[in-house]
Amino acid sequence: MNSVTAVAPVITAANDALRRDFPSKPFAIRHKLVGHPLLTLPRIAALAAELPRDLIEYNSGKVAISQDPDAIPSVDLDPVEVVKSIETAGAWMVLKRIENSPEYRKLLEDTLLSVARARGFNSLLDAGFEQVEGFLFVSSPNSTTPFHLDSEDNFFVHIHGEKFFTILDNTDRSIVDDDEIERSMTKHRNLKYDESFAPRGKEFHLFEGDGCYVPYQWPHWVRTAGFYSISMAITWKTREVRRLNDLHFFNSMLRGIGLPQQPPGKRPVRDALKLAFYRGVTATIKPLRSSMAMRRVLRRVALGKRANYYLKGREL
Ligand SMILES: [Fe+2]
C-alpha cells in the first residue's frame, strides 16, 4: 500500500472500532461537523427550496416505533416552512440525495476521505466508499423515526439536539426475516417492532458531535428528546452492497408477477444470471430517470402502487 497522506480526522471512533468492528458491527463515533455552515437551519431551508419534491419526505413526528405505513399522520406545511418552524411544527423530515448539490457532495466526500485515510487508504475508491449519498434529517422535539432498515452503510452524524438511536442485531434474521427485508427495501421501509426485540438492541444516546456507524440492513429506530434536531446520514454502497440490492429489487419484481425467489446467497449461479439480466434492463431505462415524472412512473411499474406513498395527494 502507498503511504497515506495525513489529514485531520472528521470522524473518530474509540477502541480502534474503525478497524476492528467496521463494517460488520455498529459502534459509536465522534465527529467535527457541528457548526458547519451547510448544516444550519437557514441553509437547510434553502436546500429544501432547491430540491425536487420527490427528494423530500416529511410527516408528523408523532408516530409509533411500529408504525403502519398507511396511517402516518401528515403535516400541512410546505417543506421550507417545516424547516423554518421545526421547533414547533411537530414534524419529521428527510432531505434525500443531498450529494446532488456540489457543496454538500464535497462535505460528504471530505468526511469519508478522512475515514478512508484513518483506515490506511488514499482514496474513497480504494476504501470501498462508492456511490456516496447524503440524507439530512430535521425533526421536531419528541419525534420518532419508526423501526426500519436501510440498504446502505451509514455514518450517522448528529449535529443539534439530543437523540436516541437504537440498532438491532439481526444477523440471524430472527427479528426481520428475508421476506420482510425485501419488502422493506421495495415497498415501504417500516418494519413491525415488538418489545421482545429490545434486549438485542444497542442504544446510542447522541448529543451534538456524536454519531454511530449503522451497518448495511441493520434495523433501527430513532427518537428525539426535548429539542429540535438536525442529523445527517453519510452513506455509501460497496460493490457487494449494490449486488445484493439489485438482487433484492429483481426478486421483488419477480415476486410481483407470482414468482417468489430465494434471497440473495442461497443460489449463487441463479443470482449471477438474474443480476446480469436485471442490470441489462436497468441500464436501458436509466436515461429516463432524469425526469421526476418518469421516476414516478418507473417506481410505480417496478415496485407497485404504493411506491410513491410519500408523494400522495401531490400533483407533480
Ligand atoms: Fe435509517
Side-chain angles (χ1 to χ4, degrees):
M1 190 180 297
N2 296 331
S3 67
V4 172
T5 312
V7 304
V10 182
I11 285 179
T12 53
N15 302 321
D16 207 25
L18 272 174
R19 288 178 187 275
R20 195 192 58 200
D21 294 335
F22 182 90
S24 55
K25 290 183 190 161
F27 53 86
I29 58 173
R30 294 278 302 158
H31 67 87
K32 294 190 161 45
L33 298 174
V34 174
H36 193 287
L38 291 176
L39 304 176
T40 60
L41 281 184
R43 183 63 185 84
I44 295 170
L47 179 66
E50 291 163 17
L51 275 183
R53 176 61 188 85
D54 70 339
L55 295 180
I56 304 176
E57 183 177 346
Y58 62 105
N59 49 252
S60 166
K62 303 285 180 220
V63 292
I65 305 170
S66 195
Q67 177 64 43
D68 174 359
D70 290 328
I72 298 174
S74 58
V75 169
D76 192 20
L77 294 170
D78 75 38
V80 174
E81 288 169 336
V82 169
V83 177
K84 287 183 173 170
S85 62
I86 198 66
E87 286 185 69
T88 55
W92 171 95
M93 169 181 274
V94 55
L95 306 178
K96 304 177 183 181
R97 305 294 309 272
I98 61 172
E99 78 284 356
N100 286 317
S101 154
E103 290 174 279
Y104 283 95
R105 167 171 286 280
K106 183 168 183 347
L107 176 63
L108 298 164
E109 291 184 344
D110 286 352
T111 303
L112 284 181
L113 186 58
S114 87
V115 176
R117 291 195 164 140
R119 300 193 65 245
F121 297 100
N122 247 330
S123 72
L124 295 179
L125 222 52
D126 289 347
F129 293 134
E130 297 176 41
Q131 207 175 321
V132 174
E133 296 176 355
F135 301 81
L136 254 177
F137 298 91
V138 183
S139 22
S140 298
N142 305 307
S143 295
T144 297
T145 308
F147 192 45
H148 70 282
L149 57 79
D150 302 302
S151 295
E152 61 248 336
D153 293 291
N154 171 13
F155 282 120
F156 185 86
V157 293
H158 192 48
I159 306 298
H160 184 271
E162 180 183 2
K163 203 165 230 186
F164 297 87
F165 197 116
T166 303
I167 306 176
L168 281 291
D169 184 349
N170 190 44
T171 44
D172 65 1
R173 299 288 189 261
S174 61
I175 293 176
V176 184
D177 65 21
D178 286 307
D179 285 359
E180 280 293 285
I181 288 176
E182 183 186 298
R183 195 193 54 75
S184 175
M185 292 177 67
T186 56
K187 303 299 180 194
H188 193 288
R189 64 179 171 273
N190 286 6
L191 298 163
K192 287 200 173 64
Y193 182 84
D194 188 278
E195 277 305 321
S196 65
F197 299 165
R200 299 187 59 185
K202 185 170 181 165
E203 183 188 80
F204 295 92
H205 189 181
L206 308 178
F207 294 92
E208 297 177 2
D210 292 328
C212 54
Y213 167 65
V214 190
Y216 176 70
Q217 291 190 337
W218 279 52
H220 50 276
W221 67 278
V222 187
R223 69 182 171 92
T224 61
F227 306 94
Y228 79 86
S229 130
I230 301 172
S231 311
M232 181 167 64
I234 304 171
T235 79
W236 63 96
K237 293 188 178 82
T238 60
R239 188 186 172 88
E240 173 62 3
V241 158
R242 295 200 306 275
R243 189 184 74 86
L244 293 170
N245 286 352
D246 284 353
L247 285 170
H248 279 297
F249 275 97
F250 193 38
N251 283 350
S252 173
M253 293 168 76
L254 293 171
R255 183 190 298 277
I257 56 170
L259 299 169
Q261 302 290 305
Q262 292 283 343
K266 293 269 164 62
R267 296 189 176 183
V269 173
R270 191 170 290 192
D271 283 354
L273 290 171
K274 286 196 291 193
L275 196 65
F277 178 80
Y278 178 75
R279 287 185 170 172
V281 172
T282 51
T284 307
I285 61 174
K286 194 174 180 188
L288 299 175
R289 294 193 57 80
S290 60
S291 145
M292 182 160 66
M294 277 311 297
R295 286 200 295 272
R296 188 175 190 177
V297 171
L298 290 171
R299 274 196 301 269
R300 171 72 178 80
V301 170
L303 304 176
K305 64 180 189 304
R306 288 172 65 191
N308 294 298
Y309 63 90
Y310 58 97
L311 301 172
K312 66 185 171 194
R314 309 262 168 182
E315 290 303 319
L316 293 168

